Amino acid sequence: MGYKQILDAYKNIPGGMIEAFNAIQDIYSYLPEEAIIEAAKVFNVPVSKVYDVTTFYSMFSIKPRGKNVIRICQSAPCHVAGAAEVVAALERELGIRIGESTADGKFALETTECVGQCQDTPVITINGKPYMGVTPATVVDILAEYK
Amino acid sequence: MAEEMRVVLRNYGKINPLKIEDYLSVGGYEALKKARTMTKKAVIEEVIQSKLRGRGGAGFNTGQKWAFAHETQDDQKYVICNADEGEPGTYKDRMLMENDPHAIFEGMAICGYAIGANKGYVYCRGEYPHLITILKTAIYQAKQRCILEDFDIEVRTGAGAFVCGEETALLESIEGHRGEPRIRPPFPTQKGLWQKPTVVNNVETLANIPVIIDKGAAHFAAIGAPTYPGTKILTLSGDVNNRTFFEVPTNTTIREVIFEFGDGILGDRKFKAVQIGGASGAFIAANDLDTQISFDAMSAINSTLGSGAVYVLDETRDIIDVTTRIARFFEHESCGKCAPCREGTARLHELMWKLNSGRGSAKDIALLKKLGRVMSITCLCGLGQAAPTAILTTIERFSDDYEAKLM
Ligand SMILES: Cc1cc2nc3c(=O)[nH]c(=O)nc-3n(C[C@H](O)[C@H](O)[C@H](O)COP(=O)(O)O)c2cc1C
Ligand code: SF4
Ligand code: FES
């Protein structure tokens, strides 16, 4: 489905813009500028208002980013369990820093706060799927699933 | 030996959450049927008498909240299940939704009947995509069997903003706006979603409702601590041997939670501190371990129960470093609507960072205390008000650790 059909599917749902953006990101991994301009038309609000909303939520990206979004939990329970080493391992493995995407467009690296899997820290998510008890050693295997 | 008591998690591991037949076979939706034979007032009275108080952190009397929404006259009202669970260290609502989604819908439908609302929303955080599927499947099954009758439930997904757990920010988000808290009053029970009377309840609060209707207020009120009866699901993280979840009566002590349910501290190390209630919670030292985890017992030691996250640190941990991390959490998550929080959270983090890197002085500690006090009374919502809690309580209870890091 393209962004136009998605926006159309949500246009009659009160407050449906955020739902539509979640659905668009599931496909595009970010919110393309054309989709934002189209959303303003569909939901009958100024473009500035759409940006106002999209830039508020940390899961929305208005910049193109890698297809597989890796997020590393930084909250205190993951912090003491060695989240920093996992960040370093991922940066090394992918050759990018936090906030960047790989040149082949496959991966984006981001930090997040608690994702609610604190029983087995540290935790990362890839496209929303959680991986628990991650270590610099297991990072390689996890990435291989997406390569 | 303290024992677990599963009221909210009554069906955990016993039913397939994706099969409504399973829920029905253990007596599911019987409480809704029963409620519908009672008057609306009688349902609300039963919930008031049970003394159930909100499990989302604020501890407000649930039946009283419903009564306010019931009394407000309007042609349209709403019931909202707050499933934005975001306090670091918390995953109790996830456990509930993963294992027993219908218990939550049943609670919502009973509330809908009592206050006169025919529409409900579950606002689930975007970090739980697998739950969206479970919730939607379960709703579909309930609708197919017409179990909810004229009560409709819709799932809405958040997009990564901790502040959206605050009930008025949540309303803004469902309406499709930035999740910025509203000025109260008016309260949601008067003017909530789209300015209509709305009850916002936590997942765990709602899952208690069928039990109260089914077994009666007196049965529920007799469990745990008298002023905050029932059970609480706790989630353990940090340096304990058994990092998992438990549901215990509210008169269980912190010591029992850590040393019996949590099976003590990892390795052969000693206990240093525990933070209860997520990033917004106070750090508690060893001398307060015999406190009960009820709302009021925790307030009495200047701490909170909050979401029920129990984050344990052993003697080797650097509490200043951890507190600095928590300060950064609030700087990230401040929505920026009000100045004391927008500026305050950044300054708190800056000062903590300075102290943590060994460049701070006693003056900085004094400044943190002053700023923290100002924020706790001037910030618009609970996020900013609670942002200094970890800092203020560690300065007070772990002063030696601060001393050791001074320039
Ligand atoms: C910053 C902030 C975050 C909150 N997050 C949540 C949350 O994730 N879940 C929740 O139920 N309540 C949360 N609350 C509390 C809600 O505002 C509200 O009190 C609660 O949903 C009411 O339900 P209850 O009475 O059943 O507890 C939060 C409050 C604040 C200030
Ligand atoms: S206290 Fe913080 S989070 Fe709450 S309204 Fe003010 S800026 Fe926003
Ligand atoms: S603290 Fe990292 S998943 Fe909860």
Side-chain angles (χ1 to χ4, degrees):
Chain A
M1 233 192 326
Y3 65 82
K4 280 201 173 131
Q5 284 112 302
I6 295 174
L7 287 167
D8 228 43
Y10 287 94
K11 82 172 173 217
N12 291 321
I13 298 176
M17 194 162 73
I18 293 173
E19 290 289 295
F21 286 159
N22 272 317
I24 290 172
Q25 279 211 157
D26 281 346
I27 292 170
Y28 294 79
S29 177
Y30 80 108
L31 300 171
E33 192 179 344
E34 310 85 74
I36 286 175
I37 293 166
E38 182 69 17
K41 275 192 220 140
V42 170
F43 290 96
N44 199 20
V45 289
V47 176
S48 61
K49 155 85 188 183
V50 184
Y51 275 109
D52 197 41
V53 172
T54 52
T55 54
F56 183 83
Y57 296 92
S58 72
M59 288 169 76
F60 291 151
S61 173
I62 53 169
K63 284 199 220 115
R65 63 176 166 187
K67 190 162 148 278
N68 299 299
V69 180
I70 307 174
R71 307 185 99 203
I72 309 149
C73 174
Q74 301 284 290
S75 288
C78 282
H79 176 72
V80 298
E85 284 96 87
V86 176
V87 171
L90 280 163
E91 287 185 334
R92 199 167 51 236
E93 207 52 42
L94 296 171
I96 53 172
R97 309 294 301 269
I98 292 287
E100 297 175 350
S101 291
T102 52
D104 62 4
K106 271 199 185 143
F107 293 101
L109 204 51
E110 297 178 358
T111 57
T112 178
E113 296 294 346
C114 180
V115 295
Q117 301 287 349
C118 338
Q119 70 281 4
D120 190 5
T121 48
V123 180
I124 70 169
T125 63
I126 304 185
N127 305 331
K129 181 180 172 193
Y131 292 86
M132 280 76 81
V134 177
T135 64
T138 57
V139 152
V140 184
D141 295 334
I142 295 170
L143 288 179
E145 285 178 43
Y146 295 83
K147 274 184 176 152
Chain B
M1 175 78 198
E3 277 188 39
E4 217 183 332
M5 182 190 255
R6 294 196 168 174
V7 174
V8 184
L9 290 166
R10 55 193 173 276
N11 298 323
Y12 178 87
K14 293 185 191 154
I15 61 168
N16 178 343
L18 293 175
K19 271 201 189 147
I20 193 168
E21 300 81 17
D22 282 19
Y23 185 65
L24 294 170
S25 75
V26 291
Y29 287 114
E30 287 300 323
L32 176 60
K33 271 193 212 147
K34 182 174 171 187
R36 283 176 170 154
T37 65
M38 300 161 68
T39 64
K40 293 167 187 278
K41 279 219 165 93
V43 173
I44 294 173
E45 194 52 33
E46 199 70 29
V47 179
I48 291 178
Q49 291 303 326
S50 78
K51 298 195 195 138
L52 171 66
R53 289 164 68 185
R55 299 305 198 238
F60 195 80
N61 182 293
T62 305
Q64 192 57 57
K65 189 186 279 186
W66 292 14
F68 289 145
H70 171 80
E71 285 155 18
T72 314
Q73 303 290 325
D74 215 312
D75 53 349
Q76 178 71 60
K77 299 182 186 180
Y78 298 103
V79 179
I80 293 174
C81 169
N82 188 341
D84 195 47
E85 181 159 82
E87 272 293 355
T90 313
Y91 55 94
K92 60 167 184 101
D93 295 337
R94 169 172 68 79
M95 299 304 306
L96 270 168
M97 291 185 282
E98 274 173 0
N99 292 287
D100 200 7
H102 288 289
I104 298 146
F105 305 152
E106 188 171 4
M108 290 175 76
I110 293 170
C111 177
Y113 170 74
I115 68 164
N118 63 3
K119 173 95 190 181
Y121 287 92
V122 180
Y123 184 89
C124 181
R125 66 185 311 211
E127 287 83 351
Y128 289 161
H130 68 296
L131 279 183
I132 307 293
T133 315
I134 295 176
L135 292 170
K136 285 187 175 167
T137 307
I139 291 171
Y140 176 75
Q141 292 179 357
K143 276 185 186 164
Q144 267 201 324
R145 294 186 175 233
C146 299
I147 283 171
L148 300 171
E149 294 181 17
D150 64 341
F151 187 73
D152 181 51
I153 301 180
E154 193 179 320
V155 180
R156 288 295 177 94
T157 314
F162 168 65
V163 71
C164 287
E166 195 280 335
E167 57 185 12
T168 60
L170 186 157
L171 300 175
E172 289 291 318
S173 186
I174 293 183
E175 291 182 12
H177 312 299
R178 290 164 74 91
E180 288 178 357
R182 296 177 183 170
I183 292 169
R184 292 175 298 179
F187 290 93
T189 48
Q190 303 160 281
K191 287 185 193 303
L193 192 62
W194 289 296
Q195 300 300 309
K196 299 294 183 186
T198 304
V199 162
V200 182
N201 271 140
N202 172 254
V203 172
E204 189 181 357
T205 311
L206 289 164
N208 272 300
I209 298 294
V211 179
I212 292 168
I213 298 300
D214 183 35
K215 299 199 172 153
H219 168 88
F220 186 87
I223 303 169
T227 61
Y228 185 81
T231 58
K232 184 80 192 73
I233 309 178
L234 305 172
T235 50
L236 272 70
S237 65
D239 302 316
V240 282
N241 285 308
N242 195 8
R243 282 193 257 160
T244 182
F245 64 94
F246 302 97
E247 180 176 352
V248 294
T250 51
N251 57 355
T252 307
T253 67
I254 305 173
R255 188 184 300 283
E256 287 167 330
V257 170
I258 297 173
F259 292 94
E260 293 186 26
F261 295 106
D263 202 16
I265 309 300
L266 263 179
D268 272 333
R269 295 190 286 271
K270 283 208 200 79
F271 168 88
K272 174 165 188 142
V274 58
Q275 186 187 34
I276 299 186
S280 303
F283 273 96
I284 295 162
N287 58 318
D288 278 327
L289 282 179
D290 292 310
T291 309
Q292 293 184 356
I293 52 109
S294 86
F295 189 91
D296 303 297
M298 294 294 288
S299 307
I301 59 159
N302 243 322
S303 302
T304 51
L305 171 59
S307 61
V310 178
Y311 172 47
V312 180
L313 295 179
D314 74 31
E315 57 183 339
T316 66
R317 296 298 185 183
D318 180 348
I319 205 161
I320 312 297
D321 181 62
V322 170
T323 307
T324 306
R325 180 72 234 349
I326 292 165
R328 201 173 115 204
F329 169 80
F330 285 105
E331 184 184 7
H332 271 180
E333 300 298 335
S334 168
C335 83
K337 178 167 176 161
C338 69
C341 170
R342 183 180 62 238
E343 299 302 323
T345 51
R347 296 294 158 252
L348 287 178
H349 178 218
E350 193 176 52
L351 287 164
M352 281 307 300
W353 187 84
K354 196 171 159 197
L355 285 164
N356 190 36
S357 40
R359 279 175 252 176
S361 65
K363 245 173 84 184
D364 294 316
I365 297 180
L367 209 53
L368 278 169
K369 282 164 84 170
K370 194 168 170 187
L371 176 58
R373 266 201 312 276
V374 171
M375 287 174 67
S376 62
I377 43 180
T378 56
C379 286
L380 176 60
C381 86
L383 186 149
Q385 290 159 11
T389 303
I391 299 171
L392 295 179
T393 52
T394 49
I395 290 177
E396 179 195 317
R397 298 166 192 178
F398 300 91
S399 54
D400 290 352
D401 294 71
Y402 279 87
E403 290 291 328
K405 278 213 170 182
L406 291 186
M407 202 165 46

